[in-house]
Amino acid sequence: MKNIGFLSFGHWTPSPQSRVRSASDALLQSIELAVAAEEVGADGAYFRVHHFARQLASPFPLLAAIGARTSRIEIGTGVIDMRYENPLYMAEDAGAADLIAGGRLQLGISRGSPEQVVKGYEYFGHRPAEEGSDADMAREHTAKLLDVLRGEGFAEPNPRPMFPNPPGLLRIEPHSPGLRERIWWGAGTRATAEWAGRQGMHLMSSTLLTEDTGVPFHRLQAEQIRLFTDAWREAGHAHEPRVSVSRSVFPLVSELDHQLFGRQTGSTDQVGHLDNGLARFGKTYAAEPDKLVEDLAEDEAVAAADTLLLTVPNQLGVDYNAHVLDSLLRYVAPELGWR
């Protein structure tokens, strides 16, 4: 068995070719796609977070709404850029969303990806320490978030409060028990995956790695996963590690599928430059179901992960993306032993 969900960037554009033409469309259709995903038997609904872009940017109202409309699937982010976050406010929002969802939140966080604006986090009031970097700041915010999610008191109570306080130091409320054990780190390299394992955060690995050793993408990612699990075991964490990988997968089962993605059947890994360094991008899987079964069976990283997130072209609308999920669950997953 393997958990299968979707990952949406929530793109919107005021174009007649897009079925998602406004921020309202993106948010409401994200909720409807999560509901549809649960109905067809998928296991998760995840959303990318980008600031200063025509994409999803404020995840917690969306996650709470999905939590109220669904009952089974995991809901999460992939990922929230911690350079922008107030960790205490974030802990409140995440706790509320998790309680609404009945403990189904899987919160993916990270340092973030290349931005739409220069040093966007500074507009949000966050600046690295004089001798530190933005990556250092993201990890500092992360450490604070992980600490307060434990639910231990740390704030001195007012001796004359408006409302009676419980005894002792006060914690962030609402507190959702177990959420600390459902935090994931989006790692773009083998080194950051090892760091995440030492911190007791699960591993999220996407369709790109910001390093390249010349081996195929899936093998480099499989090595990243091995290093993560080794670091986790060495750290001695009590809870079990989880790993998700993202893939673009399109079963070609209809004429429309062939029209939209038939030209992707020869897709290969790509190597390019990102953040002033080499990066390797994974290929798109587009084929008829029997060929997809053959190709995905050879993907070492997919085999090593417990969760597969399908990156969906959300601007094609809810119905088409629900069809993609249903096709994979119906025609591909059973043949690979995932169902």
Side-chain angles (χ1 to χ4, degrees):
M1 296 293 289
K2 193 180 294 291
N3 289 334
I4 299 171
F6 71 83
L7 173 63
S8 173
F9 280 50
H11 292 286
W12 61 273
T13 182
S15 164
Q17 282 75 44
S18 174
R19 294 183 179 273
V20 189
R21 300 181 186 179
S22 68
S24 176
D25 287 345
L27 289 163
L28 294 174
Q29 290 189 31
S30 294
I31 297 169
E32 295 307 319
L33 181 57
V35 171
E38 183 169 84
E39 289 175 349
V40 301
D43 304 299
Y46 289 74
F47 301 92
R48 189 72 168 90
V49 179
H50 275 136
H51 300 288
F52 299 105
R54 289 177 174 178
Q55 298 176 35
L56 299 173
S58 180
F60 293 109
L62 174 62
L63 297 175
I66 292 171
R69 288 282 308 277
T70 58
S71 61
R72 179 185 55 80
I73 59 170
E74 296 178 335
I75 56 176
T77 52
V79 291
I80 296 173
D81 187 336
M82 291 302 293
R83 295 174 296 182
Y84 286 78
E85 294 299 318
N86 176 322
L88 300 187
Y89 199 170
M90 182 178 180
E92 291 181 341
D93 281 349
D98 193 41
L99 290 169
I100 290 170
R104 290 181 285 129
L105 189 63
Q106 304 288 337
L107 197 62
I109 62 176
S110 190
R111 180 201 71 96
S113 58
E115 301 180 88
Q116 297 297 108
V117 299
V118 177
K119 297 181 179 179
Y121 45 83
E122 292 191 356
Y123 293 97
F124 280 60
H126 302 296
R127 288 176 173 78
E130 187 172 341
E131 300 299 322
S133 67
D134 62 331
D136 294 331
M137 180 174 66
R139 292 193 180 195
E140 290 166 6
H141 289 178
T142 298
K144 186 64 174 178
L145 174 69
L146 296 179
D147 186 46
V148 299
L149 286 179
R150 298 180 194 279
E152 298 173 358
F154 62 91
E156 182 180 355
N158 187 341
R160 298 180 180 84
M162 180 178 295
F163 306 105
N165 282 323
L169 299 176
L170 302 182
R171 68 185 184 186
I172 287 292
E173 299 287 358
H175 171 66
S176 186
L179 180 55
R180 167 59 183 87
E181 284 70 47
R182 286 179 275 117
I183 306 299
W184 304 60
W185 185 262
T189 65
R190 291 164 293 175
T192 52
E194 289 184 279
W195 176 81
R198 292 193 294 271
Q199 308 309 310
M201 292 185 285
H202 306 296
L203 175 63
M204 265 186 180
S205 194
S206 72
T207 53
L208 74 90
L209 293 171
T210 53
E211 58 182 346
D212 182 50
T213 64
V215 303
F217 175 83
H218 72 99
R219 289 182 182 162
L220 181 60
Q221 193 173 51
E223 181 184 352
Q224 181 195 43
I225 294 170
R226 285 193 294 272
L227 291 169
F228 161 76
T229 53
D230 288 346
W232 183 290
R233 300 299 184 196
E234 290 171 8
H237 301 300
H239 56 303
E240 286 298 308
R242 291 186 60 184
V243 175
S244 77
V245 296
S246 302
R247 292 291 185 270
S248 297
V249 183
F250 299 101
L252 304 181
V253 299
S254 71
E255 183 177 345
L256 181 58
D257 295 332
H258 282 274
Q259 290 174 354
L260 292 172
F261 298 104
R263 295 182 181 180
Q264 298 281 346
T265 54
S267 176
T268 60
D269 290 355
Q270 300 292 320
V271 177
H273 289 269
L274 189 68
D275 276 351
N276 301 314
L278 281 177
R280 180 168 284 265
F281 300 80
K283 67 181 181 179
T284 294
Y285 289 88
E288 295 185 354
D290 57 346
K291 183 65 166 68
L292 277 185
V293 170
E294 179 183 324
D295 291 345
L296 288 169
E298 297 176 354
D299 191 313
E300 295 177 15
V302 170
D306 62 84
T307 299
L308 172 63
L309 299 181
L310 304 184
T311 56
V312 295
N314 74 283
Q315 289 190 88
L316 292 179
V318 173
D319 290 345
Y320 184 75
N321 284 296
H323 157 75
V324 171
L325 287 167
D326 182 63
S327 296
L328 184 127
L329 291 164
R330 185 186 303 267
Y331 303 117
V332 178
E335 299 301 317
L336 288 163
W338 298 348
R339 283 294 186 273

